[in-house]
Amino acid sequence: MKPAGTQPPAPGTPARTPSPALTAWRFVMVFGVVSLLMDFVYEGARSVTGPLLAHLGASAAVVGIVTGAGEAAALGLRLVSGPLADRSGRFWAWTVAGYALTAAAVPLLGLAGALWAACTLVVTERVGKAVRSPAKDTLLSHATAATGRGRGFAVHEAMDQIGALLGPLTVAGVLALTGDDYAPALGVLALPGVAALALLLRLRAKVVDPAAYETTAGEPTGKGSGPGQTGRPRLPRAFWVYAAFTAATLLGFATFGVLSYHLVARHLIPTATVPVLYAAAMAADALAALATGWLYDHLGARVLVVLPVLSAAVPLLAFTDTVWIVVLGALVWGAAVGVQESTLRATVADLVPMGRRATAYGIFAGIMGAAAMAGGALTGILYDVSIPTLITVVVAVQAASLVLLWATRAQRA
C-alpha cells in the first residue's frame, strides 16, 4: 500500500520525493505545537490520576499497577503499531488516529463514577499514545536528520512540556474553583484536543512525505527502506543492548501516580496543588530535554549517564515527609522524564536505518512498556511494604543500567 498522497513513478524512472512545503525546522516547530496542545490534554489528566483513583477507592498498589499498566499499554502496543506503520507507510494516518483516541478518552475520564471505569479510561488514553507514537517519531526523525537529532527531538519535547505545564495548571485552577470536581476539570481539556487535531491535519496537507527531509540531508536509508518492502536489514545488535539499558532505567523508575499518592496520603500538600507540582516537573522536563539534546549532538550517547543518576535520586528525595525535599524529588523526576522522552528517542534514530525505524521504535517502546509496568507495580508494592527497601532496590537497578549503557557504547565503537 502506498502512502496517501503519493504517486508511483513511471516504469523505468526513479522514484522522486516531492519537496516539503515547510523547512525542516518549521516542520519540527509546527509538530511541536500539535504536541503542545495534546500534552495540554493528557498531561492535565495524568497530573491528577493518582488523587482521582484514590478518590474512587484505589490503594497505592492499585495506583501503581494501573499507571504502570497504562505505560505498558502506551509502550507495549507499539510492538504492533510500529511494524504496521512501516509496512503500510501510512505514518500520518496512524498519527492522526492515535491523537484522536487520546482527545476523546480524557474528557470522559472526568465523568467516570466507578474505579473500574476510570482505570479503563486511564489505559485507553495511553493506548492512543501507542497507536500514534512510532509513526509520529518516524515522521520527526526525518526532519531531525536536517536539524540535528538531539536538538530536533529536544525542541519538540520542550514544546511538549509547555502544554504539559499549561494542562496541569488549568486542571488545578478548575479544581480549586469547583471544590475538587473532576468532571469540569477534565472536560475543559476537550478544547485543546480539537485544536491539536485540526492543526495536525493542516500539517499533513502541507508536508505529505517528510522522508524528503532525510533524503535531502544525505542520510543513508538502508536496504529496502520503502514501505511494504521485503528484505529489510536486521536491527543492529547495539539497538538491542541499548533497549536493555533503557528498560533497566524504567524498571527502577517510580510513576508520578505513586509520587502524588504519597503527597496526598501523607497530607503533605492539598489535592489541588498536586497538578501545580506536576507542571513544575514538566518545566524541569523541558529544560533537561534541551540540555541533554544539545549535549547529545556534541558528545553522543555518553550524555545518557545522567538518566540512571536522576532515576536513583527520585525515591531518595520524593518519598520523604519534608515538603521541600519531596518537591525537589518531583523536579528530579521531571528531569529524568525529559531525558527519556527526547534523547532516548534521538539515539534510536541514529542506531536504526530509515526502513526499519517505526518497527524499531515499536520494539523499543514494547521493551520499555514491560519495564514500565514492572516498575510501576514494583514501586507501588514496595511503597506499601517499606520505603527504605524501595530506595535500595531502585538504586541497585540504576547501578546495573550503567553497565548496560557502557555495553551499548562498546557495541557502537
Side-chain angles (χ1 to χ4, degrees):
M1 182 179 293
K2 300 289 184 185
T6 61
Q7 297 295 328
T13 63
R16 298 184 63 185
T17 304
S19 298
L22 303 176
T23 65
W25 267 120
R26 184 73 179 271
F27 179 85
V28 169
M29 297 296 288
V30 176
F31 219 139
V33 175
V34 173
S35 293
L36 182 158
L37 291 168
M38 194 56 66
D39 270 46
F40 194 124
V41 176
Y42 73 79
E43 296 290 15
R46 292 179 75 197
S47 71
V48 292
T49 296
L52 173 59
L53 295 181
H55 171 73
L56 294 172
S59 66
V62 170
V63 173
I65 291 170
V66 171
T67 54
E71 293 310 305
L75 298 168
L77 292 179
R78 298 182 210 185
L79 285 167
V80 177
S81 63
L84 287 177
D86 263 341
R87 290 168 186 166
S88 69
R90 299 181 65 85
F91 301 111
W92 281 119
W94 283 91
T95 303
V96 171
Y99 276 128
L101 185 57
T102 292
V106 167
L108 293 175
L109 180 61
L111 302 176
L115 179 59
W116 69 266
C119 292
T120 301
L121 286 166
V122 167
V123 175
T124 299
E125 182 275 311
R126 298 282 80 194
V127 169
K129 190 168 181 68
V131 170
R132 69 179 178 264
S133 288
K136 181 201 73 173
D137 286 344
T138 300
L139 294 173
L140 279 170
S141 75
H142 297 320
T144 60
T147 64
R149 298 286 191 208
R151 283 172 292 176
F153 275 101
V155 167
H156 180 267
E157 173 64 12
M159 295 184 72
D160 270 7
Q161 298 322 301
I162 296 174
L165 185 91
L166 295 175
L169 289 178
T170 300
V171 169
V174 177
L175 285 174
L177 290 172
T178 61
D180 294 343
D181 188 345
Y182 291 102
L186 297 179
V188 73
L189 300 178
L191 298 176
V194 172
L197 290 172
L199 183 58
L200 182 65
L201 292 173
R202 181 174 176 80
L203 182 61
R204 181 178 66 172
K206 289 279 188 180
V207 184
V208 175
D209 186 10
Y213 293 121
E214 194 154 354
T215 303
T216 302
E219 292 263 338
T221 62
K223 180 181 176 181
S225 60
Q229 292 186 15
T230 59
R232 292 172 294 177
R234 293 182 178 181
L235 296 174
R237 181 178 175 82
F239 165 80
W240 295 106
V241 179
Y242 177 68
F245 154 73
T246 305
T249 65
L250 282 174
L251 182 62
F253 191 69
T255 66
F256 190 80
V258 178
L259 268 65
S260 60
Y261 181 94
H262 174 76
L263 289 166
V264 174
R266 298 292 181 94
H267 305 289
L268 297 175
I269 63 175
T271 300
T273 308
V274 172
V276 177
L277 180 58
Y278 187 83
M282 293 301 96
D285 175 323
L287 293 174
L290 289 170
T292 57
W294 184 86
L295 288 170
Y296 177 81
D297 284 340
H298 289 78
L299 302 176
R302 74 187 71 175
V303 72
L304 291 172
V305 72
V306 71
L307 182 55
V309 174
L310 292 173
S311 299
V314 169
L316 287 167
L317 300 169
F319 294 129
T320 65
D321 289 328
T322 304
V323 174
W324 73 268
I325 297 178
V326 174
V327 169
L328 180 59
L331 295 178
V332 172
W333 178 88
V337 172
V339 180
Q340 292 170 0
E341 294 293 328
S342 60
T343 312
L344 286 182
R345 291 155 58 204
T347 306
V348 172
D350 277 337
L351 288 172
V352 179
M354 229 167 67
R356 297 301 307 273
R357 204 166 289 157
T359 299
Y361 275 122
I363 294 172
F364 182 69
I367 294 171
M368 289 176 68
M373 183 168 184
L378 179 68
T379 55
I381 292 170
L382 289 179
Y383 177 91
D384 282 339
V385 173
S386 166
I387 290 178
T389 301
L390 186 158
I391 293 171
T392 301
V393 170
V394 168
V395 170
V397 170
Q398 298 304 332
S401 73
L402 288 172
V403 177
L404 290 169
L405 177 60
W406 176 85
T408 300
R409 293 186 60 204
Q411 286 292 326
R412 294 188 69 183

